[in-house]
Amino acid sequence: MKRINKYLYLFVVQCDYGYGHGWEDLTASESYKSAIADLRAYRKNDSYAVGHRIIKRRELNPEYQGDK
């Protein structure tokens, strides 16, 4: 049986629209390659944004059962 990790590691594309609300999440993916593709698409098509970035995020895995 394969071990299930406690955390999911995600690459999140974020955008700052300059309204004073800070960075907003746009998309999240488990592979860096797809996050780069999403980032390029947002930079090309989103003219209202001040900036875009990719961050790494760790979230709890809903499938994780704990130590039994």
Side-chain angles (χ1 to χ4, degrees):
M1 186 163 83
K2 186 177 179 187
R3 182 176 175 269
I4 297 175
N5 289 337
K6 184 175 182 178
Y7 296 104
L8 295 174
Y9 297 96
L10 303 172
F11 295 96
V12 180
V13 177
Q14 293 184 331
C15 178
D16 185 9
Y17 288 105
Y19 301 130
H21 299 293
W23 294 95
E24 300 177 21
D25 293 351
L26 298 175
T27 61
S29 61
E30 292 183 3
S31 71
Y32 184 70
K33 197 172 192 179
S34 64
I36 288 289
D38 290 338
L39 178 66
R40 287 182 181 145
Y42 276 109
R43 283 186 176 163
K44 182 179 178 183
N45 298 316
D46 195 4
S47 62
Y48 296 108
V50 175
H52 295 89
R53 69 179 180 182
I54 294 178
I55 63 164
K56 288 192 239 181
R57 181 176 291 158
R58 184 176 77 168
E59 295 181 355
L60 285 174
N61 190 350
E63 297 177 6
Y64 181 71
Q65 299 295 323
D67 296 328
K68 290 186 175 184

Short mmCIF file of all heavy atoms in Angstrom, two decimals:
data_model
loop_
_atom_site.label_atom_id
_atom_site.label_comp_id
_atom_site.label_asym_id
_atom_site.label_seq_id
_atom_site.Cartn_x
_atom_site.Cartn_y
_atom_site.Cartn_z
N MET A 1 0.83 -1.17 0.00
CA MET A 1 0.00 0.00 0.00
C MET A 1 0.89 1.25 0.00
O MET A 1 1.86 1.33 0.74
CB MET A 1 -0.91 -0.01 1.23
CG MET A 1 -1.91 1.10 1.21
SD MET A 1 -3.28 0.83 2.34
CE MET A 1 -2.59 1.39 3.88
N LYS A 2 0.55 2.20 -0.85
CA LYS A 2 1.34 3.43 -0.95
C LYS A 2 1.02 4.38 0.20
O LYS A 2 -0.12 4.54 0.60
CB LYS A 2 1.04 4.11 -2.28
CG LYS A 2 1.90 5.29 -2.54
CD LYS A 2 1.62 5.90 -3.89
CE LYS A 2 2.50 7.11 -4.07
NZ LYS A 2 2.20 7.84 -5.27
N ARG A 3 2.04 4.97 0.72
CA ARG A 3 1.90 5.90 1.82
C ARG A 3 1.34 7.22 1.30
O ARG A 3 1.78 7.75 0.28
CB ARG A 3 3.28 6.14 2.46
CG ARG A 3 3.24 7.06 3.64
CD ARG A 3 4.63 7.15 4.26
NE ARG A 3 4.64 8.11 5.31
CZ ARG A 3 4.94 9.39 5.16
NH1 ARG A 3 5.26 9.85 3.98
NH2 ARG A 3 4.93 10.22 6.18
N ILE A 4 0.38 7.78 2.01
CA ILE A 4 -0.23 9.07 1.64
C ILE A 4 0.44 10.16 2.46
O ILE A 4 0.52 10.07 3.69
CB ILE A 4 -1.74 9.06 1.89
CG1 ILE A 4 -2.40 8.01 1.01
CG2 ILE A 4 -2.34 10.42 1.62
CD1 ILE A 4 -3.88 7.83 1.25
N ASN A 5 0.91 11.20 1.79
CA ASN A 5 1.55 12.31 2.48
C ASN A 5 0.54 13.11 3.28
O ASN A 5 -0.64 13.20 2.92
CB ASN A 5 2.23 13.24 1.48
CG ASN A 5 3.45 12.64 0.86
OD1 ASN A 5 4.06 11.73 1.43
ND2 ASN A 5 3.81 13.13 -0.29
N LYS A 6 1.02 13.72 4.35
CA LYS A 6 0.15 14.54 5.19
C LYS A 6 -0.18 15.86 4.50
O LYS A 6 -1.24 16.42 4.69
CB LYS A 6 0.85 14.82 6.52
CG LYS A 6 0.01 15.58 7.50
CD LYS A 6 0.70 15.72 8.84
CE LYS A 6 -0.17 16.43 9.83
NZ LYS A 6 0.47 16.54 11.15
N TYR A 7 0.72 16.35 3.66
CA TYR A 7 0.54 17.63 3.02
C TYR A 7 0.53 17.51 1.50
O TYR A 7 1.14 16.61 0.93
CB TYR A 7 1.67 18.59 3.40
CG TYR A 7 1.69 18.92 4.87
CD1 TYR A 7 2.63 18.35 5.71
CD2 TYR A 7 0.78 19.80 5.41
CE1 TYR A 7 2.66 18.66 7.06
CE2 TYR A 7 0.79 20.11 6.76
CZ TYR A 7 1.73 19.54 7.57
OH TYR A 7 1.75 19.83 8.90
N LEU A 8 -0.17 18.41 0.84
CA LEU A 8 -0.11 18.59 -0.60
C LEU A 8 0.76 19.81 -0.86
O LEU A 8 0.60 20.85 -0.21
CB LEU A 8 -1.50 18.83 -1.18
CG LEU A 8 -2.50 17.70 -1.07
CD1 LEU A 8 -3.86 18.17 -1.57
CD2 LEU A 8 -2.03 16.51 -1.86
N TYR A 9 1.68 19.71 -1.80
CA TYR A 9 2.57 20.81 -2.13
C TYR A 9 2.10 21.40 -3.46
O TYR A 9 2.06 20.72 -4.47
CB TYR A 9 4.01 20.32 -2.21
CG TYR A 9 4.48 19.82 -0.87
CD1 TYR A 9 4.43 18.46 -0.56
CD2 TYR A 9 4.93 20.69 0.11
CE1 TYR A 9 4.83 18.00 0.68
CE2 TYR A 9 5.34 20.23 1.34
CZ TYR A 9 5.29 18.89 1.63
OH TYR A 9 5.68 18.43 2.86
N LEU A 10 1.72 22.68 -3.43
CA LEU A 10 1.12 23.34 -4.58
C LEU A 10 1.96 24.53 -5.02
O LEU A 10 2.62 25.18 -4.20
CB LEU A 10 -0.29 23.82 -4.24
CG LEU A 10 -1.27 22.78 -3.75
CD1 LEU A 10 -2.54 23.46 -3.27
CD2 LEU A 10 -1.57 21.79 -4.83
N PHE A 11 1.89 24.84 -6.30
CA PHE A 11 2.46 26.05 -6.86
C PHE A 11 1.29 26.95 -7.22
O PHE A 11 0.44 26.57 -8.03
CB PHE A 11 3.31 25.74 -8.09
CG PHE A 11 4.52 24.91 -7.78
CD1 PHE A 11 4.50 23.54 -7.92
CD2 PHE A 11 5.67 25.52 -7.31
CE1 PHE A 11 5.60 22.77 -7.63
CE2 PHE A 11 6.78 24.75 -7.01
CZ PHE A 11 6.75 23.39 -7.16
N VAL A 12 1.23 28.12 -6.60
CA VAL A 12 0.09 29.02 -6.75
C VAL A 12 0.52 30.24 -7.55
O VAL A 12 1.51 30.89 -7.22
CB VAL A 12 -0.45 29.45 -5.37
CG1 VAL A 12 -1.63 30.39 -5.51
CG2 VAL A 12 -0.82 28.24 -4.54
N VAL A 13 -0.25 30.54 -8.60
CA VAL A 13 -0.04 31.77 -9.37
C VAL A 13 -0.88 32.85 -8.72
O VAL A 13 -2.09 32.68 -8.53
CB VAL A 13 -0.44 31.58 -10.85
CG1 VAL A 13 -0.28 32.88 -11.61
CG2 VAL A 13 0.38 30.48 -11.49
N GLN A 14 -0.23 33.96 -8.37
CA GLN A 14 -0.91 35.07 -7.72
C GLN A 14 -0.78 36.33 -8.55
O GLN A 14 0.14 36.46 -9.36
CB GLN A 14 -0.33 35.34 -6.33
CG GLN A 14 -0.59 34.24 -5.34
CD GLN A 14 -0.08 34.61 -3.97
OE1 GLN A 14 0.87 35.37 -3.82
NE2 GLN A 14 -0.73 34.06 -2.95
N CYS A 15 -1.70 37.28 -8.32
CA CYS A 15 -1.71 38.53 -9.06
C CYS A 15 -2.02 39.68 -8.12
O CYS A 15 -2.78 39.52 -7.16
CB CYS A 15 -2.78 38.44 -10.16
SG CYS A 15 -2.92 39.94 -11.11
N ASP A 16 -1.42 40.83 -8.38
CA ASP A 16 -1.71 42.05 -7.64
C ASP A 16 -2.32 43.04 -8.61
O ASP A 16 -1.70 43.45 -9.58
CB ASP A 16 -0.44 42.62 -7.03
CG ASP A 16 -0.70 43.83 -6.15
OD1 ASP A 16 -1.87 44.13 -5.88
OD2 ASP A 16 0.29 44.47 -5.74
N TYR A 17 -3.58 43.41 -8.36
CA TYR A 17 -4.28 44.34 -9.24
C TYR A 17 -4.10 45.80 -8.83
O TYR A 17 -4.60 46.69 -9.50
CB TYR A 17 -5.77 43.99 -9.31
CG TYR A 17 -6.02 42.73 -10.08
CD1 TYR A 17 -6.34 41.55 -9.44
CD2 TYR A 17 -5.91 42.71 -11.46
CE1 TYR A 17 -6.56 40.38 -10.15
CE2 TYR A 17 -6.13 41.55 -12.18
CZ TYR A 17 -6.45 40.40 -11.52
OH TYR A 17 -6.66 39.25 -12.24
N GLY A 18 -3.43 46.06 -7.72
CA GLY A 18 -3.12 47.42 -7.32
C GLY A 18 -4.24 48.15 -6.61
O GLY A 18 -4.22 49.37 -6.48
N TYR A 19 -5.24 47.45 -6.10
CA TYR A 19 -6.35 48.09 -5.40
C TYR A 19 -6.12 48.21 -3.90
O TYR A 19 -6.99 48.66 -3.18
CB TYR A 19 -7.65 47.31 -5.62
CG TYR A 19 -8.06 47.18 -7.06
CD1 TYR A 19 -8.39 45.95 -7.60
CD2 TYR A 19 -8.13 48.29 -7.89
CE1 TYR A 19 -8.77 45.83 -8.91
CE2 TYR A 19 -8.50 48.17 -9.21
CZ TYR A 19 -8.83 46.94 -9.71
OH TYR A 19 -9.20 46.82 -11.02
N GLY A 20 -4.98 47.76 -3.44
CA GLY A 20 -4.69 47.80 -2.02
C GLY A 20 -5.09 46.55 -1.27
O GLY A 20 -5.01 46.50 -0.05
N HIS A 21 -5.54 45.52 -1.97
CA HIS A 21 -5.94 44.29 -1.32
C HIS A 21 -4.82 43.26 -1.27
O HIS A 21 -4.97 42.21 -0.67
CB HIS A 21 -7.14 43.67 -2.06
CG HIS A 21 -8.34 44.55 -2.08
ND1 HIS A 21 -9.05 44.87 -0.95
CD2 HIS A 21 -8.94 45.21 -3.09
CE1 HIS A 21 -10.04 45.66 -1.26
NE2 HIS A 21 -10.00 45.90 -2.56
N GLY A 22 -3.72 43.54 -1.92
CA GLY A 22 -2.60 42.61 -1.90
C GLY A 22 -2.69 41.56 -2.98
O GLY A 22 -3.37 41.72 -3.99
N TRP A 23 -2.01 40.44 -2.76
CA TRP A 23 -1.93 39.37 -3.75
C TRP A 23 -3.16 38.48 -3.67
O TRP A 23 -3.58 38.09 -2.59
CB TRP A 23 -0.67 38.55 -3.53
CG TRP A 23 0.57 39.33 -3.78
CD1 TRP A 23 1.32 39.98 -2.86
CD2 TRP A 23 1.20 39.54 -5.04
NE1 TRP A 23 2.39 40.60 -3.47
CE2 TRP A 23 2.34 40.34 -4.81
CE3 TRP A 23 0.92 39.14 -6.33
CZ2 TRP A 23 3.18 40.74 -5.83
CZ3 TRP A 23 1.76 39.54 -7.36
CH2 TRP A 23 2.88 40.33 -7.09
N GLU A 24 -3.70 38.14 -4.83
CA GLU A 24 -4.87 37.26 -4.93
C GLU A 24 -4.47 35.98 -5.66
O GLU A 24 -3.74 36.03 -6.64
CB GLU A 24 -5.99 37.94 -5.68
CG GLU A 24 -6.47 39.22 -5.04
CD GLU A 24 -7.54 39.92 -5.85
OE1 GLU A 24 -8.19 39.26 -6.68
OE2 GLU A 24 -7.70 41.12 -5.66
N ASP A 25 -4.99 34.85 -5.20
CA ASP A 25 -4.72 33.57 -5.85
C ASP A 25 -5.51 33.46 -7.15
O ASP A 25 -6.70 33.78 -7.19
CB ASP A 25 -5.11 32.40 -4.95
CG ASP A 25 -4.24 32.30 -3.72
OD1 ASP A 25 -3.23 33.02 -3.65
OD2 ASP A 25 -4.57 31.49 -2.84
N LEU A 26 -4.85 33.03 -8.21
CA LEU A 26 -5.52 32.83 -9.48
C LEU A 26 -5.70 31.35 -9.77
O LEU A 26 -6.81 30.89 -10.01
CB LEU A 26 -4.72 33.49 -10.62
CG LEU A 26 -4.56 35.00 -10.52
CD1 LEU A 26 -3.65 35.50 -11.62
CD2 LEU A 26 -5.91 35.68 -10.59
N THR A 27 -4.61 30.59 -9.76
CA THR A 27 -4.67 29.15 -9.99
C THR A 27 -3.67 28.45 -9.09
O THR A 27 -2.73 29.07 -8.59
CB THR A 27 -4.33 28.77 -11.45
OG1 THR A 27 -3.01 29.20 -11.74
CG2 THR A 27 -5.30 29.39 -12.42
N ALA A 28 -3.89 27.15 -8.90
CA ALA A 28 -2.96 26.32 -8.14
C ALA A 28 -2.78 25.01 -8.89
O ALA A 28 -3.72 24.46 -9.45
CB ALA A 28 -3.49 26.05 -6.74
N SER A 29 -1.54 24.52 -8.92
CA SER A 29 -1.26 23.25 -9.58
C SER A 29 -0.18 22.51 -8.80
O SER A 29 0.57 23.11 -8.03
CB SER A 29 -0.84 23.47 -11.03
OG SER A 29 0.33 24.23 -11.08
N GLU A 30 -0.11 21.21 -9.04
CA GLU A 30 0.86 20.40 -8.32
C GLU A 30 2.20 20.32 -9.04
O GLU A 30 3.18 19.87 -8.46
CB GLU A 30 0.30 19.00 -8.10
CG GLU A 30 -0.86 18.98 -7.14
CD GLU A 30 -1.37 17.59 -6.85
OE1 GLU A 30 -0.78 16.62 -7.36
OE2 GLU A 30 -2.36 17.49 -6.12
N SER A 31 2.27 20.78 -10.29
CA SER A 31 3.54 20.74 -11.01
C SER A 31 4.00 22.16 -11.35
O SER A 31 3.19 23.03 -11.69
CB SER A 31 3.41 19.91 -12.29
OG SER A 31 2.63 20.58 -13.24
N TYR A 32 5.29 22.36 -11.25
CA TYR A 32 5.87 23.68 -11.53
C TYR A 32 5.74 24.03 -13.01
O TYR A 32 5.53 25.18 -13.38
CB TYR A 32 7.34 23.68 -11.11
CG TYR A 32 8.01 25.02 -11.26
CD1 TYR A 32 7.67 26.07 -10.42
CD2 TYR A 32 8.97 25.24 -12.22
CE1 TYR A 32 8.28 27.30 -10.54
CE2 TYR A 32 9.59 26.46 -12.36
CZ TYR A 32 9.24 27.49 -11.52
OH TYR A 32 9.83 28.71 -11.65
N LYS A 33 5.81 23.01 -13.85
CA LYS A 33 5.74 23.23 -15.29
C LYS A 33 4.38 23.82 -15.70
O LYS A 33 4.31 24.75 -16.50
CB LYS A 33 5.98 21.90 -16.01
CG LYS A 33 6.32 22.01 -17.44
CD LYS A 33 6.72 20.64 -17.98
CE LYS A 33 7.33 20.76 -19.33
NZ LYS A 33 7.75 19.47 -19.86
N SER A 34 3.30 23.29 -15.15
CA SER A 34 1.98 23.83 -15.49
C SER A 34 1.76 25.20 -14.85
O SER A 34 1.05 26.04 -15.41
CB SER A 34 0.88 22.86 -15.08
OG SER A 34 0.86 22.70 -13.70
N ALA A 35 2.38 25.46 -13.70
CA ALA A 35 2.28 26.78 -13.08
C ALA A 35 2.98 27.84 -13.94
O ALA A 35 2.48 28.95 -14.09
CB ALA A 35 2.88 26.75 -11.68
N ILE A 36 4.11 27.49 -14.52
CA ILE A 36 4.82 28.41 -15.42
C ILE A 36 3.97 28.71 -16.66
O ILE A 36 3.88 29.85 -17.11
CB ILE A 36 6.19 27.83 -15.83
CG1 ILE A 36 7.15 27.88 -14.65
CG2 ILE A 36 6.79 28.55 -17.02
CD1 ILE A 36 7.61 29.26 -14.28
N ALA A 37 3.31 27.69 -17.21
CA ALA A 37 2.45 27.88 -18.37
C ALA A 37 1.28 28.81 -18.03
O ALA A 37 0.93 29.70 -18.82
CB ALA A 37 1.95 26.55 -18.89
N ASP A 38 0.68 28.60 -16.85
CA ASP A 38 -0.41 29.48 -16.42
C ASP A 38 0.08 30.91 -16.21
O ASP A 38 -0.60 31.88 -16.57
CB ASP A 38 -1.03 28.97 -15.12
CG ASP A 38 -1.81 27.70 -15.31
OD1 ASP A 38 -2.22 27.41 -16.45
OD2 ASP A 38 -2.01 26.97 -14.30
N LEU A 39 1.27 31.07 -15.62
CA LEU A 39 1.84 32.39 -15.39
C LEU A 39 2.06 33.13 -16.70
O LEU A 39 1.72 34.31 -16.82
CB LEU A 39 3.15 32.26 -14.62
CG LEU A 39 3.90 33.57 -14.33
CD1 LEU A 39 3.11 34.43 -13.38
CD2 LEU A 39 5.27 33.27 -13.78
N ARG A 40 2.60 32.45 -17.69
CA ARG A 40 2.82 33.08 -18.99
C ARG A 40 1.50 33.51 -19.63
O ARG A 40 1.42 34.59 -20.22
CB ARG A 40 3.56 32.12 -19.92
CG ARG A 40 5.00 31.96 -19.55
CD ARG A 40 5.71 31.04 -20.52
NE ARG A 40 7.10 30.88 -20.11
CZ ARG A 40 7.79 29.77 -20.25
NH1 ARG A 40 7.24 28.72 -20.82
NH2 ARG A 40 9.03 29.70 -19.85
N ALA A 41 0.47 32.68 -19.51
CA ALA A 41 -0.83 33.02 -20.08
C ALA A 41 -1.43 34.23 -19.38
O ALA A 41 -1.98 35.13 -20.04
CB ALA A 41 -1.77 31.83 -19.97
N TYR A 42 -1.33 34.30 -18.05
CA TYR A 42 -1.86 35.45 -17.33
C TYR A 42 -1.09 36.72 -17.66
O TYR A 42 -1.68 37.79 -17.80
CB TYR A 42 -1.85 35.21 -15.82
CG TYR A 42 -3.05 34.44 -15.33
CD1 TYR A 42 -2.95 33.13 -14.91
CD2 TYR A 42 -4.31 35.03 -15.30
CE1 TYR A 42 -4.05 32.42 -14.46
CE2 TYR A 42 -5.41 34.35 -14.86
CZ TYR A 42 -5.28 33.05 -14.44
OH TYR A 42 -6.38 32.36 -14.01
N ARG A 43 0.23 36.64 -17.76
CA ARG A 43 1.02 37.82 -18.10
C ARG A 43 0.69 38.34 -19.50
O ARG A 43 0.71 39.54 -19.75
CB ARG A 43 2.51 37.51 -18.00
CG ARG A 43 3.00 37.49 -16.59
CD ARG A 43 4.49 37.32 -16.52
NE ARG A 43 4.94 37.40 -15.13
CZ ARG A 43 6.11 36.98 -14.71
NH1 ARG A 43 6.95 36.42 -15.56
NH2 ARG A 43 6.45 37.09 -13.46
N LYS A 44 0.39 37.43 -20.40
CA LYS A 44 0.08 37.83 -21.77
C LYS A 44 -1.31 38.45 -21.89
O LYS A 44 -1.50 39.42 -22.62
CB LYS A 44 0.17 36.60 -22.67
CG LYS A 44 -0.09 36.89 -24.12
CD LYS A 44 0.03 35.63 -24.95
CE LYS A 44 -0.28 35.92 -26.40
NZ LYS A 44 -0.23 34.70 -27.21
N ASN A 45 -2.30 37.92 -21.16
CA ASN A 45 -3.69 38.30 -21.37
C ASN A 45 -4.27 39.25 -20.32
O ASN A 45 -5.35 39.80 -20.54
CB ASN A 45 -4.56 37.05 -21.43
CG ASN A 45 -4.19 36.18 -22.58
OD1 ASN A 45 -3.98 36.66 -23.69
ND2 ASN A 45 -4.09 34.88 -22.33
N ASP A 46 -3.62 39.43 -19.18
CA ASP A 46 -4.17 40.24 -18.10
C ASP A 46 -3.48 41.60 -18.07
O ASP A 46 -2.42 41.76 -17.50
CB ASP A 46 -3.98 39.51 -16.77
CG ASP A 46 -4.82 40.09 -15.67
OD1 ASP A 46 -5.60 41.01 -15.93
OD2 ASP A 46 -4.69 39.60 -14.53
N SER A 47 -4.11 42.60 -18.67
CA SER A 47 -3.47 43.92 -18.77
C SER A 47 -3.74 44.80 -17.55
O SER A 47 -3.10 45.83 -17.39
CB SER A 47 -3.97 44.63 -20.04
OG SER A 47 -5.37 44.83 -19.96
N TYR A 48 -4.69 44.44 -16.70
CA TYR A 48 -5.03 45.27 -15.53
C TYR A 48 -4.11 45.03 -14.34
O TYR A 48 -4.12 45.80 -13.39
CB TYR A 48 -6.47 45.00 -15.09
CG TYR A 48 -7.48 45.38 -16.13
CD1 TYR A 48 -8.17 44.42 -16.84
CD2 TYR A 48 -7.73 46.71 -16.41
CE1 TYR A 48 -9.09 44.78 -17.80
CE2 TYR A 48 -8.65 47.08 -17.37
CZ TYR A 48 -9.33 46.11 -18.06
OH TYR A 48 -10.24 46.46 -19.00
N ALA A 49 -3.34 43.99 -14.38
CA ALA A 49 -2.54 43.60 -13.23
C ALA A 49 -1.25 44.41 -13.14
O ALA A 49 -0.65 44.78 -14.13
CB ALA A 49 -2.21 42.12 -13.30
N VAL A 50 -0.83 44.63 -11.90
CA VAL A 50 0.45 45.29 -11.63
C VAL A 50 1.58 44.27 -11.71
O VAL A 50 2.64 44.56 -12.25
CB VAL A 50 0.42 45.96 -10.23
CG1 VAL A 50 1.77 46.54 -9.88
CG2 VAL A 50 -0.66 47.02 -10.18
N GLY A 51 1.34 43.08 -11.20
CA GLY A 51 2.38 42.04 -11.22
C GLY A 51 1.80 40.66 -10.99
O GLY A 51 0.71 40.50 -10.46
N HIS A 52 2.56 39.66 -11.39
CA HIS A 52 2.22 38.26 -11.19
C HIS A 52 3.41 37.56 -10.54
O HIS A 52 4.55 37.98 -10.72
CB HIS A 52 1.93 37.56 -12.53
CG HIS A 52 0.73 38.08 -13.22
ND1 HIS A 52 0.79 39.13 -14.09
CD2 HIS A 52 -0.56 37.69 -13.18
CE1 HIS A 52 -0.42 39.36 -14.57
NE2 HIS A 52 -1.26 38.51 -14.03
N ARG A 53 3.13 36.48 -9.81
CA ARG A 53 4.19 35.70 -9.21
C ARG A 53 3.72 34.27 -8.94
O ARG A 53 2.53 33.99 -8.97
CB ARG A 53 4.66 36.33 -7.90
CG ARG A 53 3.65 36.25 -6.78
CD ARG A 53 4.20 36.88 -5.53
NE ARG A 53 3.21 36.81 -4.44
CZ ARG A 53 3.41 37.31 -3.25
NH1 ARG A 53 4.54 37.94 -2.97
NH2 ARG A 53 2.49 37.19 -2.31
N ILE A 54 4.68 33.40 -8.68
CA ILE A 54 4.40 32.02 -8.29
C ILE A 54 4.96 31.81 -6.89
O ILE A 54 6.10 32.18 -6.61
CB ILE A 54 5.06 31.01 -9.26
CG1 ILE A 54 4.44 31.12 -10.64
CG2 ILE A 54 4.92 29.59 -8.73
CD1 ILE A 54 5.07 30.20 -11.65
N ILE A 55 4.14 31.24 -6.02
CA ILE A 55 4.60 30.89 -4.68
C ILE A 55 4.38 29.40 -4.46
O ILE A 55 3.58 28.77 -5.16
CB ILE A 55 3.88 31.70 -3.58
CG1 ILE A 55 2.39 31.38 -3.56
CG2 ILE A 55 4.13 33.18 -3.74
CD1 ILE A 55 1.70 31.82 -2.30
N LYS A 56 5.09 28.85 -3.49
CA LYS A 56 4.88 27.46 -3.07
C LYS A 56 4.02 27.48 -1.83
O LYS A 56 4.22 28.30 -0.93
CB LYS A 56 6.19 26.77 -2.76
CG LYS A 56 7.02 26.46 -3.94
CD LYS A 56 8.13 25.53 -3.54
CE LYS A 56 9.46 26.15 -3.82
NZ LYS A 56 10.57 25.28 -3.46
N ARG A 57 3.05 26.56 -1.79
CA ARG A 57 2.16 26.49 -0.63
C ARG A 57 2.00 25.04 -0.22
O ARG A 57 1.95 24.14 -1.04
CB ARG A 57 0.80 27.08 -0.98
CG ARG A 57 -0.16 27.06 0.20
CD ARG A 57 -1.46 27.73 -0.13
NE ARG A 57 -1.23 29.16 -0.28
CZ ARG A 57 -2.03 29.96 -0.97
NH1 ARG A 57 -3.07 29.49 -1.58
NH2 ARG A 57 -1.77 31.25 -1.04
N ARG A 58 1.86 24.84 1.08
CA ARG A 58 1.65 23.51 1.65
C ARG A 58 0.29 23.49 2.32
O ARG A 58 0.00 24.32 3.18
CB ARG A 58 2.75 23.23 2.66
CG ARG A 58 2.71 21.86 3.25
CD ARG A 58 3.87 21.66 4.16
NE ARG A 58 3.62 22.34 5.43
CZ ARG A 58 4.35 22.16 6.51
NH1 ARG A 58 5.39 21.38 6.49
NH2 ARG A 58 4.05 22.79 7.61
N GLU A 59 -0.57 22.55 1.90
CA GLU A 59 -1.90 22.41 2.48
C GLU A 59 -2.09 21.00 3.01
O GLU A 59 -1.49 20.06 2.50
CB GLU A 59 -2.97 22.70 1.42
CG GLU A 59 -2.97 24.12 0.93
CD GLU A 59 -4.05 24.38 -0.10
OE1 GLU A 59 -4.75 23.41 -0.49
OE2 GLU A 59 -4.19 25.53 -0.51
N LEU A 60 -2.96 20.86 3.99
CA LEU A 60 -3.25 19.54 4.52
C LEU A 60 -3.95 18.69 3.47
O LEU A 60 -4.84 19.17 2.77
CB LEU A 60 -4.13 19.64 5.76
CG LEU A 60 -3.45 20.11 7.03
CD1 LEU A 60 -4.48 20.29 8.13
CD2 LEU A 60 -2.40 19.11 7.47
N ASN A 61 -3.56 17.44 3.38
CA ASN A 61 -4.15 16.51 2.44
C ASN A 61 -5.44 15.96 3.04
O ASN A 61 -5.43 15.37 4.13
CB ASN A 61 -3.16 15.37 2.16
CG ASN A 61 -3.58 14.48 1.03
OD1 ASN A 61 -4.70 14.57 0.54
ND2 ASN A 61 -2.68 13.62 0.62
N PRO A 62 -6.57 16.11 2.35
CA PRO A 62 -7.83 15.59 2.90
C PRO A 62 -7.88 14.07 2.95
O PRO A 62 -8.68 13.50 3.70
CB PRO A 62 -8.90 16.14 1.96
CG PRO A 62 -8.19 16.52 0.73
CD PRO A 62 -6.78 16.81 1.10
N GLU A 63 -7.04 13.38 2.20
CA GLU A 63 -7.01 11.91 2.19
C GLU A 63 -6.15 11.33 3.31
O GLU A 63 -6.17 10.12 3.54
CB GLU A 63 -6.49 11.42 0.84
CG GLU A 63 -7.37 11.80 -0.31
CD GLU A 63 -6.79 11.36 -1.63
OE1 GLU A 63 -5.77 10.65 -1.64
OE2 GLU A 63 -7.36 11.73 -2.65
N TYR A 64 -5.41 12.17 4.00
CA TYR A 64 -4.51 11.70 5.06
C TYR A 64 -5.33 11.24 6.27
O TYR A 64 -6.19 11.95 6.76
CB TYR A 64 -3.55 12.80 5.46
CG TYR A 64 -2.56 12.41 6.52
CD1 TYR A 64 -1.54 11.53 6.22
CD2 TYR A 64 -2.64 12.92 7.80
CE1 TYR A 64 -0.62 11.17 7.18
CE2 TYR A 64 -1.74 12.57 8.77
CZ TYR A 64 -0.72 11.69 8.45
OH TYR A 64 0.19 11.32 9.41
N GLN A 65 -5.04 10.04 6.76
CA GLN A 65 -5.79 9.45 7.87
C GLN A 65 -5.08 9.57 9.21
O GLN A 65 -5.65 9.28 10.24
CB GLN A 65 -6.06 7.97 7.58
CG GLN A 65 -6.87 7.74 6.34
CD GLN A 65 -8.26 8.29 6.46
OE1 GLN A 65 -8.88 8.25 7.53
NE2 GLN A 65 -8.77 8.84 5.39
N GLY A 66 -3.83 9.94 9.21
CA GLY A 66 -3.07 10.00 10.45
C GLY A 66 -2.42 8.67 10.77
O GLY A 66 -2.51 7.70 10.02
N ASP A 67 -1.74 8.59 11.88
CA ASP A 67 -1.07 7.36 12.29
C ASP A 67 -2.06 6.40 12.92
O ASP A 67 -2.75 6.73 13.88
CB ASP A 67 0.05 7.67 13.29
CG ASP A 67 1.14 8.51 12.65
OD1 ASP A 67 1.36 8.35 11.44
OD2 ASP A 67 1.75 9.32 13.35
N LYS A 68 -2.14 5.21 12.33
CA LYS A 68 -3.05 4.20 12.89
C LYS A 68 -2.32 2.92 13.15
O LYS A 68 -1.38 2.57 12.60
CB LYS A 68 -4.19 3.94 11.92
CG LYS A 68 -5.12 5.11 11.84
CD LYS A 68 -6.32 4.76 10.98
CE LYS A 68 -7.29 5.91 11.01
NZ LYS A 68 -8.50 5.63 10.29
#
